[in-house]
Amino acid sequence: MRQLLGMICVLAILSACTTKTNEKDQFDTMAFIAEKFDNTLQAESDSTKIPRTIDENGNLKTVGIYNWTSGFFAGNLWYMYELTKDDKWKTEAIKWTEALDTIQYWSGNHDVGFMMYCSYGNGMKFAGLDNKDILVQTAESLSKRYSEKTLAIESWDYRKAWDEKTEWFFPVIIDNMMNLELLFEASILSGNNKYRDIAVQHAETTMKNHYRDDYSCYHVVDYDTITGAVLDKATCQGFTDASAWARGQAWGLYGYVLCYRYTKDKKFLDFAENIAVYMLHHKNLPEDLIPYWDYNVADEGFVPEWEYDTADYPEIPRDASAAAVTASALYELSIYVPEKGYSEQADKMVASLLSPDYLSVHGKNKYFILNHSVGSIPHGVEIDVPLVYADYYLLEAMYRKEKLEKGEKF
């Protein structure tokens, strides 16, 4: 009975996201989502082998705990528990979360926010688990990558750009905006404003150096470790240095919305709105609001530094993961400026994602909710495939929509 009530609760969400469907279709949609997770748990029981995508034959591909996506599967299970109140998802979520315990002491890159807040953070939020010390320790590890010279958190260690000549000494990527939530929360949990101060300064530095006049953003900005000066503005996963990589735009939008949540500083809200306007009114945004993997991939004047043959992509790949992140961010943005219609735009994105065009109802994908995401086309990896983080932000968007409809906080 408890599980059935949970299912009914989720169907209320789907009814507003799915058009021209009857109640049976809505129930089948949610049952289908649950089946995907059941399939995954049956295929892989080792919580140190974490689902990420599938191979060309439809086999599950996993990563280790130090991969940047390692926290999303546990996060998915936490959202399934919150949406359904079925304790089986809670049991699995705890198992897959606890596998990441040692990450709290790791400072190998900036992604510990993704890894630990999506897992341990959601465990604390949805099940009341006492994860305070773990999250604060993780924030301490992340703060080691902050530089008083650059006034930013280093994303990656030293590496070279696409031309194999340009060196990145202190690369900061737009994705890093997503890890600030961990720092803000750690300050609340610990009473230590150090983490909050780092988050605010990083956000301000990113506003200054990552964004163009039209509120699109560069993917990578490299800094001089001695002077803090900007050395290079470029891309790694986007089409060109000057283009707008779709998931990067989504990371930035989400990041500035959460900065406003924690600070109530209007400059962050205004900035988030400007990013949203850029994305939602872009001339290349498809009618179904699921963006191409890069907003400028078909525009003249954008020439990549990597080998790109248009014949390889007669149909430009969409990025469902970028849409899912954007939809989740828009639901939160709609709380702060309800008159702007952001929730309606998010509804359209979620409806598209839950349609047969993106939902994995056909083909080889037995393990993930969504098809048609993109990892990195320049690297030739994860092109038009399911990705664990696309599912995560779809579930988060569904959860946020439910809360909004009930008039509850999330």
Side-chain angles (χ1 to χ4, degrees):
M1 177 62 71
R2 187 178 184 186
Q3 182 176 1
L4 178 59
L5 290 173
M7 288 291 187
I8 293 171
C9 178
V10 176
L11 296 181
I13 306 169
L14 292 175
S15 64
C17 298
T18 307
T19 58
K20 298 181 180 179
T21 58
N22 58 35
E23 292 181 4
K24 179 64 164 55
D25 291 330
Q26 295 171 23
F27 177 80
D28 286 346
T29 300
M30 193 56 214
F32 160 84
I33 292 174
E35 182 182 7
K36 293 293 183 179
F37 288 102
D38 283 331
N39 290 343
T40 305
L41 292 170
Q42 291 172 16
E44 185 55 75
S45 60
D46 184 347
S47 58
T48 65
K49 297 178 180 178
I50 302 166
R52 172 162 167 152
T53 185
I54 59 174
D55 65 18
E56 62 274 11
N57 297 314
N59 299 313
L60 187 66
K61 293 183 69 174
T62 64
V63 295
I65 65 170
Y66 290 97
N67 185 273
W68 78 273
T69 63
S70 64
F72 289 117
F73 186 67
N76 288 343
L77 295 170
W78 282 120
Y79 273 115
M80 286 299 289
Y81 170 64
E82 176 62 17
L83 287 167
T84 67
K85 301 305 182 186
D86 185 338
D87 282 337
K88 82 171 185 179
W89 302 121
K90 177 182 177 181
T91 299
E92 290 292 344
I94 291 172
K95 169 187 171 181
W96 290 82
T97 293
E98 290 180 345
L100 304 174
D101 176 74
T102 58
I103 301 299
Q104 64 182 298
Y105 304 108
W106 190 61
S107 57
N109 67 31
H110 69 117
D111 288 315
V112 293
F114 279 125
M115 299 155 80
M116 299 295 277
Y117 199 74
C118 295
S119 54
Y120 282 95
N122 281 333
M124 184 171 61
K125 180 177 181 178
F126 296 137
L129 301 183
D130 185 10
N131 295 331
K132 170 185 172 181
D133 291 344
I134 291 174
L135 292 172
V136 173
Q137 175 57 54
T138 306
E140 182 63 27
S141 297
L142 177 58
S143 67
K144 293 177 181 178
R145 300 188 69 84
Y146 179 76
S147 166
E148 293 289 351
K149 294 292 186 181
T150 65
L151 301 179
I153 301 166
E154 184 181 34
S155 298
W156 300 323
D157 293 337
Y158 168 89
R159 64 192 299 172
K160 288 187 177 181
W162 279 112
D163 59 11
E164 290 298 325
K165 297 177 182 178
T166 304
E167 297 177 287
W168 291 338
F169 297 94
F170 194 101
V172 176
I173 61 176
I174 192 62
D175 316 39
N176 211 341
M177 288 296 301
M178 300 292 286
N179 295 296
L180 303 187
E181 186 170 19
L182 168 70
L183 296 175
F184 282 119
E185 282 292 331
S187 275
I188 295 172
L189 292 170
S190 66
N192 186 347
N193 282 333
K194 176 178 78 170
Y195 310 120
R196 173 191 172 92
D197 292 345
I198 289 174
V200 169
Q201 184 59 71
H202 180 92
E204 291 175 344
T205 300
T206 301
M207 288 171 66
K208 177 182 177 182
N209 296 324
H210 265 78
Y211 279 83
R212 308 178 183 105
D213 290 342
D214 63 358
Y215 292 96
S216 67
C217 70
Y218 291 94
H219 182 194
V220 186
V221 174
D222 182 50
Y223 294 87
D224 188 301
T225 59
I226 298 174
T227 67
V230 172
L231 298 176
D232 191 32
K233 295 185 177 185
T235 194
C236 188
Q237 291 166 260
F239 188 54
T240 72
D241 292 346
S243 69
W245 173 51
R247 195 163 61 253
Q249 312 313 301
W251 292 144
L253 172 64
Y254 192 113
Y256 283 104
V257 174
L258 76 84
C259 283
Y260 179 72
R261 181 204 315 164
Y262 286 102
T263 67
K264 294 300 182 284
D265 188 329
K266 194 172 183 297
K267 72 184 176 190
F268 291 136
L269 178 61
D270 291 344
F271 206 79
E273 282 207 81
N274 284 324
I275 298 170
V277 168
Y278 171 83
M279 298 168 70
L280 294 173
H281 296 280
H282 198 284
K283 65 183 179 65
N284 293 333
L285 182 65
E287 186 176 349
D288 66 1
L289 304 188
I290 311 301
Y292 300 112
W293 69 278
D294 190 296
Y295 284 90
N296 303 114
V297 70
D299 289 345
E300 294 183 5
F302 290 84
V303 181
E305 295 180 351
W306 49 282
E307 293 184 10
Y308 176 73
D309 187 347
T310 55
D312 292 337
Y313 304 100
E315 187 171 327
I316 300 173
R318 304 290 189 90
D319 189 357
S321 73
V325 175
T326 301
S328 185
L330 289 174
Y331 279 130
E332 181 170 6
L333 186 58
S334 73
I335 297 172
Y336 310 130
V337 278
E339 71 279 6
K340 296 293 185 68
Y342 293 124
S343 62
E344 288 79 6
Q345 295 290 76
D347 285 347
K348 291 178 183 178
M349 290 181 181
V350 173
S352 293
L353 292 172
L354 290 176
S355 75
D357 290 337
Y358 298 94
L359 205 64
S360 60
V361 292
H362 305 294
K364 300 176 181 178
N365 179 9
K366 299 189 300 181
Y367 306 110
F368 298 91
I369 304 169
L370 295 173
N371 288 327
H372 307 309
S373 289
V374 171
S376 178
I377 286 184
H379 291 91
V381 297
E382 298 177 338
I383 301 171
D384 194 22
V385 297
L387 286 167
V388 65
Y389 47 88
D391 289 2
Y392 177 86
Y393 289 103
L394 172 64
L395 290 170
E396 183 177 81
M398 293 168 62
Y399 159 77
R400 289 181 167 188
K401 179 173 178 62
E402 178 192 37
K403 289 294 186 180
L404 285 172
E405 290 180 341
K406 291 181 177 180
E408 298 175 355
K409 295 181 179 180
F410 54 74

